[in-house]
């Protein structure tokens, strides 16, 4: 069932306050315990001021309306996808992150800002550690990536680091192995010369005429040109291709919903396919946070999961997507807070980096 269909179902059903309180109690308890919730549990733990018998009657109504289900004949109830949809859209309370959680997310971004791929990798690890769910992050994608800055730096007696930045601050480092490493000042001058020639160019702009100019300017170091061009091609094309970082795949094993080996195996196989990961992230249609619950997901293998995605933006409208996958019983409030905080941190730090580079 699509997200729109579920939302329509929620909108078309009138719930009184008592039913909403009971539904919220069931959802909160099931998220915390993974155990079906009975009327006695609600009466004892949630102090609603009504008897177990009244709660049972209300639960029967909620079950008929499709907001909860009874997994076993003698068990309590658990939320349905429709119940979670109502919870997410109307009942979920905003959660403030703890100071240490906020500090962790900030430190990840500020430590790893120099390289986009490493930043995304470490960000995925931090989010999966905080939430205990699986995290997917796509590197920012820019169409027709243009070269913004090129630098050459000495690494050791046989190697030079080539730093290439495109618009949108997509940055890649390449190690070039050389028989003779030019002196540092010479490398600086070469980098400045190359940058002057190629700044603002796309890969398609580097034709025979441009290559001839580069050969002339590099002079005795023209033998570096094939390595240089190869690195530029990889970087500019990499800036246009979706690269996905995945972390916390094994976290799913901690949830009783995936204690069945075949069920867990199917999910793992899905997460091993890059095109599937890209599909998950491309479900994000706009800049608003999106929550897909169970049957709302288009992939059959994750019909028992919820996926929450949001975007982060870089310069020139370049953007990437962050997604968190977990059981439908996930702590939605926590995940939303973590994603909002991480996006804010990433965008703030990248804006500072953009401003600094624009000033140079």
């Amino acid at each position: 069932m699509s997200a729109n269909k579920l939302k329509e179902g929620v909108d078309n059903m009138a719930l009184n306050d008592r039913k909403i309180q009971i539904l919220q109690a069931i959802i909160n308890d099931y998220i915390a315990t993974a155990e079906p919730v009975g009327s006695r549990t609600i009466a004892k733990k949630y102090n609603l001021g009504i008897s177990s018998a009244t709660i049972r009657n209300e639960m029967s109504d909620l079950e008929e309306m499709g907001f909860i289900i009874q997994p076993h004949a003698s068990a309590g109830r658990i939320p349905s996808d429709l119940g979670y949809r109502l919870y997410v859209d109307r009942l979920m309370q905003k959660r403030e992150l703890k100071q240490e959680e906020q500090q962790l997310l900030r430190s990840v971004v500020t430590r790893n800002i120099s390289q986009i791929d490493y930043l995304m990798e470490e960000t995925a690890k931090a989010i999966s550690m905080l939430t205990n769910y699986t995290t997917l992050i796509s590197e920012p994608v820019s169409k027709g990536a243009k070269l913004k800055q090129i630098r050459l730096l000495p690494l050791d007696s046989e190697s030079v680091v080539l730093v290439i930045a495109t618009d949108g601050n997509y940055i890649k480092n390449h190690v070039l192995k050389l028989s003779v490493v030019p002196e540092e000042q010479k490398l600086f001058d070469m980098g400045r010369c190359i940058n002057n020639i190629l700044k603002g160019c796309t890969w398609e702009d580097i034709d025979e005429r441009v290559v001839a100019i580069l050969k002339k300017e590099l002079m005795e170091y023209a033998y570096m040109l094939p390595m240089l061009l190869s690195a530029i091609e990889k970087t500019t094309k990499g800036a246009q291709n979706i690269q996905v970082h995945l972390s916390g795949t094994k976290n799913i094993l901690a949830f009783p919903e995936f204690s069945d080996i075949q069920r867990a195996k199917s999910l793992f196989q899905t997460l091993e396919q890059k095109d599937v990961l890209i599909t998950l992230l491309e479900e994000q249609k706009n800049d608003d946070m999106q929550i897909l619950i169970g049957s709302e997901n288009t992939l059959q293998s994750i019909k028992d999961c919820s996926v929450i995605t949001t975007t982060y933006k870089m310069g020139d409208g370049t953007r990437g997507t962050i997604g968190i996958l977990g059981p439908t019983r996930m702590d939605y409030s926590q995940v939303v807070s973590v994603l909002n905080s991480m996006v804010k941190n990433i965008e703030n730090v990248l804006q500072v980096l953009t401003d600094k580079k624009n000033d140079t």
Side-chain angles (χ1 to χ4, degrees):
M1 183 180 293
S2 69
N4 288 336
K5 290 265 182 85
L6 276 186
K7 288 179 180 179
E8 287 173 10
V10 169
D11 291 338
N12 291 333
M13 294 183 184
L15 290 171
N16 59 36
D17 290 342
R18 191 159 66 187
K19 283 185 174 62
I20 288 175
Q21 286 180 322
I22 292 171
L23 177 61
Q24 188 157 18
I26 292 171
I27 293 174
N28 289 339
D29 207 81
Y30 188 63
I31 287 175
T33 68
E35 294 290 338
V37 186
S39 58
R40 288 186 180 181
T41 298
I42 296 174
K44 288 180 180 179
K45 292 176 66 173
Y46 293 94
N47 193 30
L48 300 182
I50 51 179
S51 67
S52 294
T54 301
I55 293 173
R56 277 196 298 274
N57 290 334
E58 296 287 15
M59 288 174 67
S60 295
D61 289 344
L62 287 169
E63 187 173 2
E64 286 184 11
M65 298 169 78
F67 290 108
I68 58 176
I69 57 176
Q70 189 173 22
H72 307 291
S74 60
R77 271 52 164 202
I78 67 174
S80 66
D81 291 351
L82 186 65
Y84 283 123
R85 173 51 62 193
L86 175 65
Y87 171 78
V88 165
D89 289 348
R90 298 188 189 176
L91 308 179
M92 183 173 66
Q93 297 180 348
K94 182 180 179 181
R95 176 193 155 176
E96 296 295 333
L97 293 182
K98 298 175 182 177
Q99 187 173 354
E100 56 266 30
E101 292 174 325
Q102 294 176 352
Q103 180 57 40
L104 172 63
L105 296 179
R106 279 195 299 268
S107 66
V108 168
V109 174
T110 54
R111 277 201 318 265
N112 302 296
I113 190 59
S114 59
Q115 294 189 61
I116 291 298
D117 53 354
Y118 191 65
L119 169 62
M120 295 300 111
E121 182 179 335
E122 293 301 304
T123 297
K125 289 179 183 177
I127 293 176
S128 63
M129 183 181 73
L130 275 183
T131 62
N132 290 320
Y133 303 127
T134 302
T135 304
L136 312 86
I137 301 183
S138 66
E139 293 184 18
V141 177
S142 175
K143 301 299 181 184
K146 296 180 180 179
L147 293 169
K148 185 174 182 180
Q149 193 170 62
I150 293 176
R151 289 184 180 179
L152 289 166
L153 305 170
L155 181 61
D156 54 40
S157 60
E158 298 178 342
S159 306
V160 168
V161 176
L162 172 63
V163 183
I164 304 174
T166 69
D167 55 345
N169 292 321
Y170 182 88
I171 302 171
K172 286 287 187 179
N173 292 344
H174 305 266
V175 177
L176 308 183
K177 292 291 185 180
L178 305 177
S179 55
V180 178
V181 173
E183 294 180 356
E184 186 171 357
Q185 184 59 47
K186 180 63 177 176
L187 284 173
F188 177 79
D189 292 340
M190 290 167 62
R192 184 171 59 181
C193 176
I194 294 169
N195 196 63
N196 288 339
I197 297 170
L198 298 181
K199 186 174 182 179
C201 291
T202 64
W203 171 247
E204 290 71 23
D205 294 330
I206 305 176
D207 55 18
E208 292 182 2
R209 181 187 62 83
V210 175
V211 171
I213 294 173
L214 287 170
K215 281 183 180 178
K216 181 179 179 181
E217 293 296 332
L218 291 175
M219 299 177 66
E220 70 266 32
Y221 297 104
Y223 69 89
M224 294 172 54
L225 192 54
M227 289 183 283
L228 175 71
L229 293 175
S230 176
I232 290 173
E233 181 180 17
K234 288 179 182 177
T235 302
T236 53
K237 290 186 176 180
Q240 299 176 61
N241 294 326
I242 298 178
Q243 302 296 322
V244 180
H245 298 270
L246 180 68
S247 183
T249 305
K250 293 181 180 179
N251 288 349
I252 207 75
L253 292 174
F255 298 101
E257 294 94 326
F258 296 93
S259 57
D260 180 87
I261 297 300
Q262 289 303 317
R263 193 176 180 187
K265 183 179 178 181
S266 175
L267 182 57
F268 285 153
Q269 289 174 340
T270 296
L271 295 176
E272 287 175 351
Q273 303 173 53
K274 181 183 176 183
D275 59 332
V276 172
L277 301 183
I278 292 173
T279 298
L280 284 176
L281 294 176
E282 287 183 338
E283 292 280 0
Q284 177 69 26
K285 302 301 183 185
N286 51 50
D287 293 338
D288 297 329
M289 186 172 294
Q290 178 173 274
I291 301 176
L292 295 178
I293 300 169
S295 58
E296 297 174 356
N297 289 293
T298 57
L299 296 174
Q300 183 62 39
S301 55
I302 60 169
K303 292 292 186 182
D304 296 321
C305 299
S306 287
V307 181
I308 303 181
T309 54
T310 191
T311 59
Y312 64 92
K313 295 182 286 294
M314 299 177 65
D316 303 324
T318 304
R319 70 178 212 166
T321 305
I322 306 176
I324 296 182
L325 179 147
T328 53
R329 187 179 57 86
M330 71 159 55
D331 187 340
Y332 294 94
S333 180
Q334 183 211 21
V335 171
V336 168
S337 296
V338 168
L339 285 178
N340 281 333
S341 180
M342 180 52 81
V343 168
K344 183 178 179 181
N345 287 326
I346 290 176
E347 291 184 343
N348 284 347
V349 175
L350 292 180
Q351 185 58 55
V352 171
L353 184 65
T354 300
D355 293 342
K356 286 183 178 178
K357 293 204 169 188
N358 287 338
D359 290 340
T360 59

